[in-house]
Amino acid sequence: MNKRKIVIGNWKMNPVTKKEAQKLYNSLLKGDTNTKKTEVVACPPFVYFSYFKSSKRINLGAQDVFWNESGAFTGEVSPTMLEDLGVKYIILGHSERRALGESNADVNKKLKASLVAGLVPILCVGESERNENHEYLNLVKNQIEECLTGVAKSSLAKIVIAYEPVWAIGKNAVRSATAEEHREMSIFIKKVLSDKFGALNIKDTRIIYGGSAHPENIDEFITIGGADGFLVGRDSLDPKKFLEIIKLCEISKN
Ligand code: PGA
């Protein structure tokens, strides 16, 4: 059976006012796109959570979290605090956070604390560049192994892995990955996961694509690339495009 697709909107540090954030969230709520076969997640900045509620149609996700439950950690927010506000998903290890110094060991601590609080981790992995030696495969393997150290086999069905090649992200992206490149990486990630956790424990783990995902390339990522969903940056701020991405996942036969 096909896994339920998942489409996650990473709003990053946008929009700048509460009013605009509410407008964006409302257009997603009101859109006439079906979400029967697709889980939809919106990840606004922390400050907007109290204005939104997770619903059957849209789930709330956060873009980062700290690993401790409470205490003297100025500026940090804990998984339990997020869960208490109705947050269900958590993006971890995004390349923009790694660029600020986040290590695989940090991501690992955040991921384990998030699981304890009942959040669904969306673990981002991906290389900054590719060369002929295929070094990028080792880098992704290392990210997965270190970020998932000490995680119970039984948690794997819940975790979403987002393959996001850094060179494909954002407005300065060279290009998106190709569907074939995603397919190759998705197979590789499954191999790394099954070596670590056993094939049976990873059969429900979703491997999704992120990095210049747009309505124009969604279908090929699903049909050729075998993507179980998408982590969407820029197009998540445009309700028309984001709803179109959801619709393409809904109507896909794969
Ligand atoms: P993009 O961002 O869709 O704007 O390339 C993706 C991401 O950073 O998750």
Side-chain angles (χ1 to χ4, degrees):
M1 213 185 87
N2 291 330
K3 293 168 202 159
R4 199 164 178 237
K5 300 262 180 310
I6 183 163
V7 176
I8 303 149
N10 178 7
W11 294 10
K12 307 191 179 181
M13 201 170 69
N14 299 293
V16 279
T17 66
K18 176 180 86 182
K19 203 169 156 202
E20 286 171 279
Q22 278 169 326
K23 193 169 159 217
L24 176 56
Y25 201 73
N26 285 339
S27 3
L28 301 181
L29 277 177
K30 284 197 217 115
D32 58 3
T33 318
N34 247 320
T35 55
K36 250 167 75 189
K37 285 163 48 186
T38 316
E39 239 163 281
V40 180
V41 185
C43 303
F46 287 142
V47 290
Y48 298 135
F49 284 136
S50 48
Y51 305 111
F52 307 138
K53 270 215 285 290
S54 274
S55 65
K56 241 177 116 188
R57 182 169 170 79
I58 305 177
N59 293 284
L60 280 179
Q63 301 170 20
D64 189 27
V65 74
F66 195 58
W67 51 79
N68 274 89
E69 175 79 6
S70 63
F73 304 101
T74 303
E76 300 293 355
V77 169
S78 81
T80 309
M81 291 172 187
L82 293 177
E83 198 274 335
D84 187 52
L85 283 180
V87 173
K88 308 261 185 239
Y89 294 78
I90 174 82
I91 297 175
L92 293 171
H94 191 281
S95 60
E96 286 156 14
R97 297 223 52 85
R98 292 180 188 266
L100 293 173
E102 189 167 272
S103 66
N104 288 334
D106 295 336
V107 177
N108 178 247
K109 285 189 271 183
K110 293 178 178 189
L111 194 140
K112 286 191 284 196
S114 297
L115 284 169
V116 171
L119 301 175
V120 175
I122 299 149
L123 171 62
C124 301
V125 296
E127 76 285 358
S128 306
E129 53 182 21
R130 288 191 166 201
N131 61 27
E132 285 128 42
N133 302 332
H134 291 82
E135 245 331 283
Y136 63 93
L137 292 172
N138 277 335
L139 183 130
V140 170
K141 178 170 187 261
N142 198 43
Q143 285 178 329
I144 292 178
E145 288 179 345
E146 292 189 0
C147 293
L148 296 179
T149 296
V151 170
K153 286 178 186 160
S154 55
S155 298
L156 259 286
K158 204 174 164 186
I159 296 171
V160 177
I161 311 273
Y163 172 54
E164 293 211 307
V166 183
W167 45 266
I169 295 176
K171 62 179 184 338
N172 296 324
V174 186
R175 58 174 176 88
S176 75
T178 62
E180 289 78 8
E181 284 165 338
H182 177 77
R183 185 173 191 84
E184 173 200 64
M185 188 55 89
S186 167
I187 293 169
F188 179 72
I189 290 173
K190 281 181 199 150
K191 166 88 174 81
V192 172
L193 289 174
S194 87
D195 285 350
K196 192 171 166 64
F197 297 99
L200 273 181
N201 295 303
I202 64 136
K203 65 181 188 344
D204 295 322
T205 309
R206 285 174 291 190
I207 300 173
I208 67 172
Y209 175 74
S212 301
H214 301 300
E216 298 75 35
N217 54 22
I218 295 300
D219 189 56
E220 58 195 272
F221 272 111
I222 298 175
T223 50
I224 304 168
D228 297 316
F230 299 91
L231 181 50
V232 184
R234 280 156 295 161
D235 282 7
S236 70
L237 300 172
D238 178 335
K240 216 171 135 219
K241 289 189 181 164
F242 194 64
L243 289 165
E244 181 64 20
I245 291 175
I246 299 166
K247 186 170 159 201
L248 289 161
C249 288
E250 277 291 301
I251 60 178
S252 160
K253 300 220 164 44
N254 288 66

